[in-house]
Amino acid sequence: MAHDTVFFLAPDDETAAATRLRGPGRALESVTCRFIEPDSAIAEWDMYFADPSPGIPPIEQLLEWSWPEWVTAPLNDGVEVFALPQRLTRALADAGSAELEELAGRWTARLRSADGDDMTDDDLLAVLQGVARLAASAVRTGGGLYSWSF
């Protein structure tokens, strides 16, 4: 499980890739959370907007979903930098409060079922709201939305 995950804005993949060694730092607008797996979170969010369904879809459906792509090739140091899919960035940018609350509830339920008491202490709705604000900025500026984790 990733210890720190930072969702951040960058103007392009090259800038995002340059964060690999030290993280995005203060130069790039970001939202930080702890103890989540960014790739599964990104896939969960994307599935929520692209294929809405009541309740939590089976884990098999999530595992078969299109997962985010690395911006840099993964190494054995545990650092990952992913690009969020453009359709997810647009969906997050356009999401209303009710959608974000529903997604946060679904995401929380999945994490609780998988991690139990070891689940993150972060307010997942606040994380999603912050990422949605970043997504809106990415859509306005033509930049990209990324995640960095270690």
Side-chain angles (χ1 to χ4, degrees), residues 4-69:
D4 291 310
T5 299
V6 181
F7 294 96
F8 67 98
L9 290 176
D12 52 44
D13 287 355
E14 185 177 324
T15 303
T19 68
R20 191 192 173 298
L21 294 178
R22 296 182 199 215
R26 294 184 180 176
L28 300 172
E29 191 176 351
S30 64
V31 172
T32 302
C33 52
R34 297 183 50 80
F35 304 115
I36 67 157
E37 291 295 337
D39 53 350
S40 63
I42 294 165
E44 176 87 33
W45 302 346
D46 190 44
M47 186 170 63
Y48 171 82
F49 288 110
D51 189 17
S53 65
I56 303 170
I59 189 68
E60 295 80 18
Q61 185 178 352
L62 177 64
L63 295 175
E64 292 173 359
W65 198 256
S66 177
W67 286 55
E69 295 188 19

Side-chain angles (χ1 to χ4, degrees), residues 17 30 40 49 77 80 82 94-95 110 126 145 148:
S30 64
S40 63
F49 288 110
D77 60 3
E80 298 176 313
F82 292 107
D94 294 339
R110 184 174 311 276
L145 187 53
W148 175 93

Side-chain angles (χ1 to χ4, degrees), residues 130-141:
V131 174
R133 282 190 296 275
L134 293 176
S137 183
V139 168
R140 271 193 318 276
T141 64

Side-chain angles (χ1 to χ4, degrees), residues 83-137:
L84 276 71
Q86 285 297 315
R87 79 174 179 191
L88 174 58
T89 300
R90 283 189 299 278
L92 285 164
D94 294 339
S97 296
E99 285 177 299
L100 293 176
E101 288 173 18
E102 185 176 316
L103 175 54
R106 184 167 124 170
W107 184 32
T108 299
R110 184 174 311 276
L111 290 177
R112 188 165 285 121
S113 72
D115 300 337
D117 291 339
D118 292 332
M119 192 178 113
T120 181
D121 290 336
D122 285 321
D123 177 342
L124 297 181
L125 176 57
V127 169
L128 275 170
Q129 290 167 333
V131 174
R133 282 190 296 275
L134 293 176
S137 183

